[in-house]
Amino acid sequence: MSDSVKLTYQNKTFEFPIVEGSENEKGIDIKTLRAQTGLITFDPGFKNTGSCNSGITFLNGEEGILRYRGYSIEELCEKASFIEVAFLLIFGELPTEKELALFNNEIREDSLVDEDLKSILKSFPKAAHPMGVLSSLTSGLIAFNPNSVDVESEAEMREAIIMLIAKFPILASWTHRKVKGLPLNYANTALSYVENVAHMMFKLPHQDFKPSPVLVGALNKLLILHADHEQNCSTSTVRIVGSSQAGLFASVSAGVSALWGPLHGGANQAVIEMLESIQADGGDTKKYMAKAKDKNDPFRLMGFGHRVYKNFDPRARIIKKAADEVLQELGINDPVLEIAKSLEQEALRDPYFIDRKLYPNVDFYSGIIYRALGIPTEMFTVMFALGRLPGWIAQWLEMRKNNEPIGRPRQIYTGKQNRSI
Ligand code: SDX
């Protein structure tokens, strides 16, 4: 006998079934709520609302657990490459050696971008934020791939997936080269996917460039840790845009824009800017802790807090350890790392943060590694998007294959009642 809940309203009792997931998560199935009761639910920010069933990523915010298709991120960071994790998220299983070789070859063969896309890039001023450029270039890919992908066609779907995975890092690197006024690079098919991210961003025309193992190892880990995170803001954006049967490229372009916001993926850039301002202010962390707690001050401690993690963010733990390792291996002593660590220590002892269960999230330490690797601050969120791409693709594909209805929430109207001019 499956569980249910009863709702009493205006002396009538209504019953709604409980749905349960494979990790014992439970939800009230309210698909018939309005038809039965005339009521809707009200949940700004969807803090208590599940939008879908999904078999891709499981996270437990209380216990700090994050798994992709059942594998823990800790194990994947140690044993898998980013492109293997991308395959896992999209196709559901880790690739065999043969499947991986084919996947890599298809990506290499598709690692060119129509030269006309460069005219979109040229139309931006150098000062344009790379995330805005990336969103536009991703949209631009639609022009070269106009069909709204037929999700029932395995071949069409695979072609679109390969095209996006192959071309997205090229476009991402071009946003950096544009800011620096450097010639645009293409992938080098002798290199791995992650090596090519570094190659395309940093290879200068007059110098040889061999990505360092420290850079490649750290990037591999960072991209894996950002690869998916269930129904976060940008992934929900990708799903809801795709639910209108807009194409994969258009949906991912919208996801890039959603990720840009400083409350979401843009936080990694905001964290470094915050740490640098604290450093410029003499390292006065107590002043900024007070600002973060002051309701009259819009300042928030960037990189702290999370909608789901009400304990530690497991990704932050891995990235914090990697930050120490990378800075040690590169012989860098970055004062903002010390400021970050003292902020974390103070927050972990402060009742305001403890009561609200505010802990460092994925963005708190990632910028410190990116900075150590020579990635400019304005590119941090682009790196987040590079990692999140396979998650967006996997979630979009799942939504379309489940033939989910178009996303269209209701509202409580609070405006003027009927009136005449
Ligand atoms: C990402 O969802 C995902 O999975 C996202 C992500 C992913 O992988 O896709 O994990 C990536 O976006 C990580 C989050 C990056 N953002 C930041 O670091 C920005 C700073 N953090 C916050 O703005 C905030 O914590 C959010 C946006 C992350 C979560 O906000 P919620 O869940 O809507 O919580 P809230 O804003 O309602 O805050 C609850 C309370 C409030 O105080 P009270 O009104 O209860 O007194 O906590 C306070 C908030 O003022 N609060 C903070 C704070 N975050 C929350 N106070 C100071 N500093 C902060 N950072």
Side-chain angles (χ1 to χ4, degrees):
M1 165 68 179
S2 68
D3 245 347
S4 66
V5 290
K6 287 187 173 63
L7 169 68
T8 302
Y9 176 62
Q10 292 179 343
N11 298 323
K12 281 190 200 152
T13 300
F14 305 90
E15 190 165 6
F16 299 95
I18 293 290
V19 292
E20 183 168 356
S22 55
E23 286 283 353
N24 310 316
E25 287 174 300
K26 291 184 170 65
I28 306 170
D29 179 343
I30 56 164
K31 287 199 287 291
T32 63
L33 175 70
R34 192 165 185 273
Q36 287 194 55
T37 69
L39 296 169
I40 63 167
T41 58
F42 182 65
D43 187 20
F46 311 117
K47 294 191 177 188
N48 304 282
T49 298
S51 62
C52 61
N53 286 319
S54 180
I56 300 171
T57 291
F58 170 71
L59 63 89
N60 178 316
E62 284 65 35
E63 294 172 31
I65 294 171
L66 177 55
R67 298 190 197 116
Y68 299 153
R69 300 281 189 186
Y71 294 102
S72 75
I73 51 161
E74 290 81 2
E75 188 172 11
L76 290 169
C77 279
E78 288 310 311
K79 299 177 183 170
S81 68
F82 172 63
I83 210 65
E84 286 173 309
V85 170
F87 189 100
L88 169 69
L89 285 167
I90 295 167
F91 299 109
E93 295 295 339
L94 282 165
T96 62
E97 215 170 295
K98 194 163 167 247
E99 287 168 329
L100 182 60
L102 174 63
F103 195 51
N104 276 319
N105 285 338
E106 288 172 306
I107 289 168
R108 287 191 186 103
E109 281 160 21
D110 219 342
S111 293
L112 284 175
V113 172
D114 193 296
E115 287 292 294
D116 287 348
L117 268 174
K118 291 180 180 176
S119 54
I120 299 176
L121 184 67
K122 282 199 180 77
S123 66
F124 280 94
K126 266 205 180 67
H129 194 287
M131 284 296 277
V133 179
L134 180 58
S135 178
S136 304
L137 290 176
T138 307
S139 261
L141 279 180
I142 304 168
F144 304 96
N145 191 47
N147 311 319
S148 171
V149 185
D150 171 9
V151 288
E152 298 318 319
S153 156
E154 289 298 320
E156 240 189 76
M157 258 332 298
R158 191 175 179 96
E159 185 190 352
I161 289 166
I162 295 291
M163 186 179 282
L164 199 44
I165 288 198
K167 300 179 189 304
F168 196 74
I170 300 170
L171 303 179
S173 73
W174 285 4
T175 66
H176 167 61
R177 307 291 283 195
K178 166 80 186 184
V179 170
K180 298 296 180 190
L182 289 169
L184 305 178
N185 280 334
Y186 273 109
N188 171 349
T189 51
L191 299 175
S192 72
Y193 191 86
V194 174
E195 286 172 334
N196 263 315
V197 169
H199 165 81
M200 292 188 285
M201 278 185 70
F202 297 124
K203 167 85 176 67
L204 298 177
H206 62 308
Q207 287 170 358
D208 285 339
F209 175 79
K210 178 87 179 93
S212 77
V214 173
L215 172 60
V216 174
L219 275 186
N220 188 65
K221 195 173 276 188
L222 283 162
L223 294 177
I224 288 173
L225 290 171
H226 286 84
D228 194 48
H229 213 241
E230 58 146 85
Q231 305 312 315
N232 59 84
C233 176
S234 55
T235 299
S236 299
T237 301
V238 169
R239 286 181 84 117
I240 204 164
V241 170
S243 71
S244 73
Q245 297 202 357
L248 175 60
F249 295 17
S251 306
V252 166
S253 172
V256 171
S257 297
L259 186 72
W260 190 1
L263 294 190
H264 189 17
N268 55 18
Q269 173 176 346
V271 165
I272 288 294
E273 289 164 352
M274 172 187 75
L275 294 174
E276 286 174 336
S277 51
I278 294 174
Q279 183 190 21
D281 202 1
D284 185 354
T285 51
K286 291 197 178 353
K287 172 179 166 187
Y288 286 82
M289 289 288 285
K291 281 169 64 68
K293 297 187 285 186
D294 178 356
K295 288 299 165 203
N296 300 316
D297 189 329
F299 174 81
R300 284 196 160 190
L301 209 56
M302 301 314 280
F304 262 79
H306 198 277
R307 174 61 57 76
V308 179
Y309 290 123
K310 298 306 176 192
N311 197 323
F312 61 93
D313 180 336
R315 301 167 298 177
R317 276 195 170 169
I318 298 172
I319 292 175
K320 178 181 176 182
K321 182 167 171 288
D324 277 329
E325 290 162 0
V326 166
L327 268 69
Q328 195 176 357
E329 283 183 63
L330 297 176
I332 295 172
N333 171 27
D334 187 347
V336 297
L337 177 60
E338 295 321 308
I339 293 175
K341 287 181 176 176
S342 60
L343 269 178
E344 180 184 9
Q345 285 316 311
E346 283 175 45
L348 293 178
R349 291 192 298 266
D350 187 299
Y352 173 95
F353 287 83
I354 295 168
D355 296 347
R356 292 166 180 78
K357 301 182 188 298
L358 302 176
Y359 294 87
N361 58 50
V362 65
D363 293 305
F364 190 60
Y365 285 103
S366 55
I368 290 166
I369 301 186
Y370 289 139
R371 200 163 112 119
L373 298 174
I375 293 167
T377 306
E378 72 274 359
M379 285 295 288
F380 290 179
T381 313
V382 171
M383 299 310 292
F384 193 142
L386 271 174
R388 187 54 51 92
L389 178 67
W392 286 334
I393 293 171
Q395 298 271 353
W396 183 93
L397 191 55
E398 179 180 72
M399 174 275 304
R400 289 298 307 276
K401 287 203 162 182
N402 290 347
N403 203 20
E404 288 184 11
I406 187 168
R408 200 266 183 234
R410 293 268 180 172
Q411 64 168 21
I412 298 292
Y413 176 70
T414 55
K416 297 280 189 212
Q417 294 184 338
N418 185 24
R419 54 182 175 158
S420 301
I421 295 171

